[in-house]
């Protein structure tokens, strides 16, 4: 049995063009094991072999997906602006997770790709240019296990609740979840208001979160409550964080889109 860092080093050497025998000599790993890893990596890149890596949810001993911060961030992005749909004949059970990231914020696209890679390292992540946005698209058999909110129809037309294991992840640290939700459905505009004295204007930033699903808005405000960040409902589908200290808290782990 070899540890992950040994495996990564062996795969990196293979990637540099060394032969299986050379890699075996340098790392002390058996040639058989290296060939096996090589094969699995290639299969991971193959669309219809997607999901070769063991899934933490449908294994015999289910456990939370890791790393938790990447999962939680991706959960926020998915609930905000993602969808899971079948990509192949039903018997193959391969699903695409698609998250739309606006062209205007290349940093967000990178962060989304990074989170998907961290969560499913063996699955290929593709970025597809669409009008006004980049779709981050990854195929796996396990998206419905990882995001059980998946279901037919639109998210706001069905009940959205977190599973107990998802709640545990979000409650342990709500910040990546809030960051994901704001990165997909939030913005940080500057509000300009007239001074109460009527003497000129002043400006302040605030965070707005807009989602037509009352359940998803509820998950957002629940996470803010856990963090002690004050919010209010501005319009029927819009949640605002505008108090100076509350905005400063969000700036500490969200900040303007980039
Ligand atoms: Zn699974």
């Amino acid at each position: 049995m070899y540890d992950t860092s040994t495996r990564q080093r062996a795969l990196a050497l293979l990637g540099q063009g060394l032969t299986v025998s050379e890699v075996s000599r340098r790392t002390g790993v058996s040639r058989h094991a290296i060939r096996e890893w090589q094969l699995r990596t290639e299969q991971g890149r193959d669309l219809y072999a997607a999901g070769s890596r063991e899934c933490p949810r449908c294994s015999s001993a289910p456990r939370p997906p890791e790393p938790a911060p990447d999962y939680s961030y991706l959960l926020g992005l998915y609930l905000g602006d993602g969808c899971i749909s079948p990509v192949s004949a039903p018997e193959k059970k391969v699903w695409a997770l698609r998250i739309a990231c606006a062209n205007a914020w290349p940093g967000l696209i990178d962060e989304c790709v990074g989170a998907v890679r961290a969560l499913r390292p063996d699955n290929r992540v593709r970025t597809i240019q669409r009008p006004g946005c980049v779709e981050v698209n990854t195929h796996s058999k396990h998206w419905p296990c990882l995001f059980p909110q998946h279901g037919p129809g639109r998210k706001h037309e069905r009940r959205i609740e977190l599973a107990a294991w998802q709640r545990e992840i979000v409650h342990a640290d709500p910040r990546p979840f809030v960051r994901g939700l704001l990165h997909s459905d939030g913005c940080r505009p500057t509000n300009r208001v007239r001074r109460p004295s009527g003497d000129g204007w002043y400006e302040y930033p605030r965070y707005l979160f807009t989602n037509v699903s009352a359940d998803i808005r509820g998950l957002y405000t629940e996470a803010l409550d856990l963090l002690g960040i004050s919010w209010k409902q501005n319009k029927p589908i819009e949640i605002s964080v505008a108090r100076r200290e509350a905005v400063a808290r969000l700036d500490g782990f969200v900040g303007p889109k980039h």
Side-chain angles (χ1 to χ4, degrees), residues 19-75:
T19 66
V20 170
S21 299
E22 283 168 330
V23 175
S24 172
R25 244 194 330 273
R26 289 208 197 177
T27 58
V29 176
S30 76
R31 284 181 300 179
H32 174 79
I34 294 169
R35 273 197 219 96
E36 188 69 28
W37 295 342
Q38 190 178 30
L39 186 68
R40 269 193 253 162
T41 306
E42 281 164 7
Q43 284 173 343
R45 290 201 191 101
D46 173 22
L47 207 60
Y48 293 108
S52 54
R53 165 176 278 241
E54 193 208 353
C55 167
R57 295 307 310 162
C58 62
S59 77
S60 52
R63 57 183 193 282
E66 288 176 329
D70 292 289
Y71 176 76
S72 196
Y73 176 69
L74 206 56
L75 178 63

Side-chain angles (χ1 to χ4, degrees), residues 119-140:
L119 207 64
R120 303 295 303 156
D122 293 344
N123 295 140
R124 185 176 154 209
V125 185
R126 292 177 302 157
T127 50
I128 301 164
Q129 186 64 56
R130 306 253 185 235
C133 73
V134 167
E135 177 186 304
V136 177
N137 181 312
T138 311
H139 294 183
S140 170

Side-chain angles (χ1 to χ4, degrees), residues 42-231:
E42 281 164 7
Q43 284 173 343
R45 290 201 191 101
D46 173 22
L47 207 60
Y48 293 108
S52 54
R53 165 176 278 241
E54 193 208 353
C55 167
R57 295 307 310 162
C58 62
S59 77
S60 52
R63 57 183 193 282
E66 288 176 329
D70 292 289
Y71 176 76
S72 196
Y73 176 69
L74 206 56
L75 178 63
L77 288 180
Y78 163 66
L79 290 179
D81 212 0
C83 75
I84 292 173
S85 51
V87 290
S88 63
E91 65 275 14
K92 288 189 173 155
K93 298 193 179 75
V94 178
W95 301 81
L97 170 68
R98 297 182 298 174
I99 291 171
C101 303
N103 284 341
W105 298 297
L108 296 200
I109 301 168
D110 292 346
E111 196 169 344
C112 174
V113 169
V116 176
R117 285 217 173 105
L119 207 64
R120 303 295 303 156
D122 293 344
N123 295 140
R124 185 176 154 209
V125 185
R126 292 177 302 157
T127 50
I128 301 164
Q129 186 64 56
R130 306 253 185 235
C133 73
V134 167
E135 177 186 304
V136 177
N137 181 312
T138 311
H139 294 183
S140 170
K141 290 182 177 175
H142 299 285
W143 292 131
C145 326
L146 293 167
F147 299 109
Q149 286 69 30
H150 150 74
R154 300 167 72 90
K155 280 196 217 88
H156 65 271
E157 289 162 355
R158 59 179 196 262
R159 187 105 179 85
I160 300 285
E161 295 177 297
L162 297 188
W165 59 270
Q166 290 179 304
R167 291 182 68 82
E168 259 175 55
I169 292 174
V170 170
H171 284 226
D173 183 0
R175 291 173 301 174
F177 180 63
V178 166
R179 185 175 162 81
L181 286 172
L182 282 169
H183 276 178
S184 58
D185 281 341
C187 58
R188 186 182 175 279
T190 299
N191 203 23
R192 193 163 182 262
V193 291
R194 191 172 277 284
R195 289 185 189 286
S197 60
D199 181 21
W201 300 78
Y202 71 100
E203 293 184 337
Y204 65 95
R206 57 182 176 156
Y207 283 86
L208 301 178
F209 177 76
T210 309
N211 193 296
V212 290
S213 161
D215 290 343
I216 294 173
R217 290 197 305 275
L219 292 172
Y220 174 64
T221 55
E222 187 187 343
L224 292 179
D225 287 341
L226 287 167
L227 291 163
I229 294 174
S230 60
W231 55 271

